[in-house]
Amino acid sequence: MTSTSAPHRPQVVRAILRTIAAAAFAALTIAFLVEPTWLEGATGAEPDGGSGALELTLVLVAGVAALATSVGAGLAWRRVLTTGG
């Protein structure tokens, strides 16, 4: 017997929040790729001494976070749509 009930609200909210997080991390990744020194310009600090290591690290961390949260969001939406939450 298949479930035809409406999704539970917490499951839908969790899927929405994961989608928002994925979009935010993706936007941050793009921001770091387009203008890699914006964070140093905004803070006035240059912790990597101009080597670019900080910028590369930030792009990689934001990119991995975007990928992980995207997968989590996809799984959450699949759970909502197939099981009703």
Side-chain angles (χ1 to χ4, degrees):
M1 185 174 230
T2 61
S3 173
T4 58
S5 64
H8 293 106
R9 185 174 173 87
Q11 297 294 341
V12 174
V13 170
R14 183 176 297 127
I16 290 170
L17 291 176
R18 287 181 179 179
T19 302
I20 291 170
F25 281 122
L28 194 58
T29 302
I30 292 168
F32 282 129
L33 285 171
V34 170
E35 187 58 47
T37 59
W38 71 268
L39 187 61
E40 290 176 351
T43 62
E46 201 169 303
D48 61 357
S51 71
L54 175 66
E55 291 85 354
L56 178 61
T57 301
L58 292 174
V59 167
L60 291 175
V61 168
V64 168
L67 181 62
T69 53
S70 294
V71 169
L75 292 172
W77 281 114
R78 179 178 297 167
R79 189 175 307 117
V80 166
L81 295 174
T82 60
T83 65

